[in-house]
Amino acid sequence: MTSKDRITLYYSPQTRATGARILLEELGASYDLHVLNMKAGEQRQPAYLAINPLGKVPAIRRGEALVTEQVAIFIYLADLFPKAGLTPALDDPDRGPYLRWMTYYGSSFEPAVIDHFMKREPAPQTQSPYSDYETMLGALEAQLSKGPYLLGDRMTAADILWGVAFSWTMTFGVVPRKDVFVAYAERMTSRPAFQRITAADAEMAAQHAAACGE
Ligand SMILES: N[C@@H](CCC(=O)N[C@@H](CS)C(=O)NCC(=O)O)C(=O)O
């Protein structure tokens, strides 16, 4: 990879950017971190709003390509490093199911979990993007019950996204600790990349808090 192809990850610890960093590690990719101290509000400064007008991490830059949105970042990065074996090729029969479960995260899971967390009345089933919370979660439970990974025996980048997601949402109590979810989260979070980045995140988060006098 030439220097113009180098990847910069716009990052804050213990956020949705953590999964993207774990994926980069699992892919064996070289990358630079551009760290934002969210406690100091750096994500809302003009310099970062020029990267992502929503003021959200993760974002990545590679050459002229700027990518925001976790799911897009996951698909993009896993495709950039096909030799890591975490993405089914375009003509692979697993490609469709892989994209299905990747995008299910952003299109169905997150809206459902946020409504649930905020105790918001969901939209009527026919107008809600995720049907209803129980149905949305039930589909995931059925898929993961086949295990050990979302696509069966094959681990993909989607499992890194979902492993982190289950770990966080069960910690916050917004997703029930069903056996299948717990076993899956443990499978993914016991991996060295997850352990390494979680430890580095704890250190970075403490530094950010200290810098803000907390
Ligand atoms: N739709 C975005 C959401 C990302 C997001 O919510 N990031 C949070 C961190 S977990 C954030 O940057 N929050 C900072 C803020 O809004 O001030 C994605 O999927 O990447």
Side-chain angles (χ1 to χ4, degrees), residues 12-18 36 38 41 43-44 48 52 54-59 68-73 105-106 110 114 161:
S12 279
Q14 299 175 338
T15 66
R16 288 171 175 85
T18 299
L36 298 154
M38 283 195 177
Q43 78 280 21
R44 303 258 156 220
Y48 187 64
N52 185 352
L54 306 188
K56 304 276 178 189
V57 294
T68 67
E69 299 301 316
Q70 277 183 102
V71 173
I73 289 170
Y105 176 84
E110 275 226 356
I114 297 288
L161 181 73

Side-chain angles (χ1 to χ4, degrees), residues 189-205:
T189 59
S190 61
R191 296 178 63 83
F194 183 96
Q195 296 287 325
R196 203 163 55 241
I197 299 307
T198 304
D201 260 16
E203 214 171 289
M204 198 188 285

Side-chain angles (χ1 to χ4, degrees), residues 9 15 17 24 43 58 71 81 113 146 151 155 189 197 210-211:
L9 171 64
T15 66
L24 283 161
Q43 78 280 21
V71 173
F81 298 92
V113 162
K146 297 178 217 162
L151 300 185
M155 188 187 111
T189 59
I197 299 307

Side-chain angles (χ1 to χ4, degrees), residues 30-141:
S30 300
Y31 60 94
D32 299 316
L33 278 187
H34 181 118
V35 177
L36 298 154
N37 184 343
M38 283 195 177
K39 293 196 183 292
E42 288 176 2
Q43 78 280 21
R44 303 258 156 220
Q45 296 300 314
Y48 187 64
L49 294 177
I51 302 293
N52 185 352
L54 306 188
K56 304 276 178 189
V57 294
I60 56 165
R61 184 193 286 288
R62 178 174 169 266
E64 296 298 307
L66 188 57
V67 190
T68 67
E69 299 301 316
Q70 277 183 102
V71 173
I73 289 170
F74 266 70
I75 295 170
Y76 178 74
L77 289 177
D79 283 349
L80 269 185
F81 298 92
K83 287 191 186 138
L86 292 178
T87 183
L90 289 183
D91 59 352
D92 187 312
D94 279 341
R95 181 76 183 181
Y98 167 75
L99 292 177
R100 173 191 178 192
W101 293 111
M102 273 284 191
T103 55
Y104 193 86
Y105 176 84
S107 308
S108 299
F109 180 79
E110 275 226 356
V113 162
I114 297 288
D115 279 349
H116 192 69
F117 176 67
M118 300 295 290
K119 300 190 172 33
R120 275 197 304 239
E121 186 64 32
Q125 196 177 34
T126 51
Q127 283 152 41
S128 154
Y130 58 84
S131 185
D132 60 73
Y133 179 80
E134 283 72 26
T135 307
M136 183 288 300
L137 216 52
L140 269 173
E141 189 179 0

